[in-house]
Amino acid sequence: MSYLPLIITFILFIVGIIGTVLPLLPGVTLIWGGMLLYGILTGFPPGLSWDFYLFQGIAALLIMGVDYIATAVGVKRSGGSKAATWGAAVGLLLGIFMGPAGIIFGPFLGALVGELLNGFPLDRALRSSIASLVGLLGGVILKLGIEIAMIFWFIKRIIPLW
């Protein structure tokens, strides 16, 4: 058996995990793509059936929505307004184009601006902004957990093939 497909797949897994923490790279896409590439390179062995890829794809889609959901939940739990939630979402979208610092501080600044434009005092606006940051960081932890579960499920499926 050639180990090259496995080596390529695990390199993609590592880069994907790094991309989740430093979101310049499409983390979960690299992880799911690594699994698909392994299947292609090995002729889709029996352990890697269509339902495996379907459920892994659903997990990947869930992960893609976690940033937005976690940020919104963080703002809501702090008593933030819809303006803060929308501001955090817009800040996250704009922050993506500014690298890791933009992704971290974009939602914070977006929530802050949303609350201030909504006429709330600075202390409440800051509370909502901090909550958006906590929600975002919680989302990263959740994404990492799901990605690690995806990788372990992949490993469990391919170990009998060795």
Side-chain angles (χ1 to χ4, degrees), residues 102-115:
I103 291 172
I104 293 170
F105 295 110
F108 175 84
L109 293 173
L112 181 67
V113 169
E115 292 289 61

Side-chain angles (χ1 to χ4, degrees), residues 37-100:
L37 182 62
Y38 181 87
I40 292 168
L41 294 175
T42 59
F44 292 99
L48 301 178
S49 58
W50 69 269
D51 60 329
F52 169 80
Y53 285 104
L54 175 68
F55 287 117
Q56 291 284 21
I58 291 169
L61 289 174
L62 173 68
I63 288 171
M64 290 177 189
V66 163
D67 282 333
Y68 302 102
I69 295 167
T71 301
V73 167
V75 171
K76 287 272 186 204
R77 288 197 169 235
S78 73
S81 69
K82 287 188 182 198
T85 303
W86 279 105
V90 169
L92 179 62
L93 286 173
L94 294 175
I96 289 171
F97 300 107
M98 297 175 190

Side-chain angles (χ1 to χ4, degrees), residues 5-26:
L6 193 60
I7 291 168
I8 293 169
T9 299
F10 276 95
I11 288 171
L12 289 172
F13 287 173
I14 292 167
V15 174
I17 293 289
I18 291 169
T20 299
V21 177
L22 302 172
L24 292 175
L25 302 168

Side-chain angles (χ1 to χ4, degrees), residues 103-152:
I103 291 172
I104 293 170
F105 295 110
F108 175 84
L109 293 173
L112 181 67
V113 169
E115 292 289 61
L116 291 174
L117 288 176
N118 212 20
F120 291 110
L122 183 60
D123 63 328
R124 178 176 172 174
L126 283 172
R127 188 172 58 244
S128 295
S129 300
I130 291 168
S132 74
L133 187 59
V134 170
L136 181 68
L137 295 176
V140 168
I141 293 168
L142 179 62
K143 289 189 318 182
L144 285 172
I146 295 170
E147 289 171 349
I148 289 168
M150 289 172 67
I151 292 169
F152 277 124

